[in-house]
Amino acid sequence: MSDIDWRSVRQDLLLGFAGWGTLSLFFYSHSYLHFTTQVQPVYTWGQAWWRVLVETIVTVLVWTLYTPVILGLARRFPLRRAVLRRHLAVHAAAGLVLASASVLIDYAVALYTFLYGPFWPRFYWVTLHYALLSYATVVAAGHVLDMYQRYRDREQRASQLEAQLARARLHALEMQIQPHFLFNTLNSISELVHDDPAAAEVMIAQLGDLLRMTTDGAGRAEVPLSRELEVVGTYLEIERTRFQDRLSVQTEVEPDVLDAMVPNLVLQPLVENAIRHGLSPQVSPGTVTLAARRVGDVLRLTVRDDGRGLPPRGERRERVGVGNTRSRLKQAYGAAHRFELADAPGGGTLVTIEIPYRPAGPHDVPEPRGGTLAGATA
C-alpha cells in the first residue's frame, strides 16, 4: 500500500470523472431523443428518465473507479514495439475481466430499472463490445498522456541543460576578462616601477582594492549598476595614477537607474578598451564618457572616448574585451539586447549597450566596497 502514488490516483479519478461525466451527458441526451421520438413507445420519457439516470450514474461511477486501474496498467505495460505482443495479451485479459464485471453490474441495474428483459446472453455480448471499447479508449488516453509527459520532461531537461550551458559559457567568458585586465594593469605598474616608484606603489594598493571587488562579485551573473560603477571607478583610479592629467572621465548616469541590474564586469573591459586603444596612442589629453539612462523598459549604457576612433574596416580586429562582452550579452539576453561599436560623432569611438531594465531586488545588492566612479572623475 505504501508504494501507491495516491496523488496520481486522485488525479486519475478526477480525470476519469470528468471524462465519463462529459460522455454520459451525451448519452443521456441521446436517450431522451430515443424515448421522445418512438412511434409506439414502450416507455415514455416521463416514465424512463429516472431509470436512464440511475443507469448513467452507475456507469459513470464504475468507469471512474476503473480509470486509475486502467491507467496504471497502461503505465505498467506500455504498448511499445519491443514488448507489444506480451503487453497486448495483458491488456486483453485485463480488459475482458473488467469489461465483464462492468457488464454484470449494468445487467443488475437494468433488471432493477426494468428497461431491459432478462435476455442475459444477448445483453452480455452486445454490452461487452461497448465495455471493451471503453477499456481501449482509456488505455489509448493513458498512452497519449504518457507521451505528452515524456515530451514535457524532455523539454524541461533540455531547457535546464541549455541554462546550465549558458551559465558555464558566461562564467568562462568572465574568467577570460579578469586575467586580461589584470595582466594589462600589471604591465602598467611595471612601466612605473623604475620611473615613479611612489605611483607604482599606489597602483598596487589600488589593484588590491580592485581584485577584492571583483572577487566579491565572482559567481554573480548580474550586479546593480551602482556596484558596476564602483568597480569601474576603482579601475579608473589606477589609470588616473598612470595617465595623470591626460585622462578625464565624465559621467552622465541618471539616478533612477543606479539600481538596475547589469552583467557583472560589463563596463570595465569597454572602459579599458577605450583607454588603451582609443586614448593611450595619442599624446593629447582624452576623455572617457560613461552614460546610463532608461528608455522605456530598456536600460541604455554607453562608453565613449574622443581618441583616434576605429581603424579602417579592412584593418579592424575585435579586441578581447569587446568580443567577450558581445558574447556575454548574447548568452544572457539573446535577441533582447543591442550591442553596437561605432565611430562617435565628432571623433572617437562609441559603444552602446541596450538590455532589458530590471531593478535590483533585496538579495541583489552587495555590500558597498572600494572606490567610486565619482572619485575617479575629473
Side-chain angles (χ1 to χ4, degrees), residues 231-250:
V231 175
V232 174
T234 304
Y235 172 75
L236 285 170
E237 288 176 4
I238 297 174
E239 295 298 338
R240 283 286 307 281
T241 303
R242 177 190 174 200
F243 285 93
Q244 300 297 326
D245 296 336
R246 291 177 54 206
L247 174 62
S248 298
V249 179
Q250 296 181 357

Side-chain angles (χ1 to χ4, degrees), residues 20 58-59 61-75 77 89-107 120 123-124 127-139:
W20 294 114
V58 171
T59 300
L61 290 176
V62 169
W63 284 96
T64 296
L65 294 174
Y66 275 3
T67 299
V69 177
I70 301 173
L71 291 178
L73 289 171
R75 298 184 189 106
F77 302 99
V90 172
H91 285 294
L96 186 61
V97 170
L98 293 176
S100 297
S102 171
V103 172
L104 284 172
I105 295 172
D106 288 345
Y107 185 72
W120 164 248
F123 183 92
Y124 174 80
T127 311
L128 182 66
H129 284 73
Y130 291 106
L132 289 174
L133 179 61
S134 299
Y135 179 92
T137 301
V138 178
V139 171

Side-chain angles (χ1 to χ4, degrees), residues 21-64:
T22 302
L23 194 62
S24 69
L25 291 177
F26 169 79
F27 284 108
Y28 195 76
S29 61
H30 175 268
S31 298
Y32 169 79
L33 294 174
H34 171 74
F35 282 104
T36 56
T37 57
Q38 290 184 96
V39 178
Q40 295 180 339
V42 178
Y43 290 98
T44 64
W45 177 244
Q47 296 170 323
W49 72 266
W50 69 270
R51 296 178 171 88
V52 177
L53 182 61
V54 169
E55 289 186 350
T56 301
I57 291 174
V58 171
T59 300
V60 170
L61 290 176
V62 169
W63 284 96
T64 296

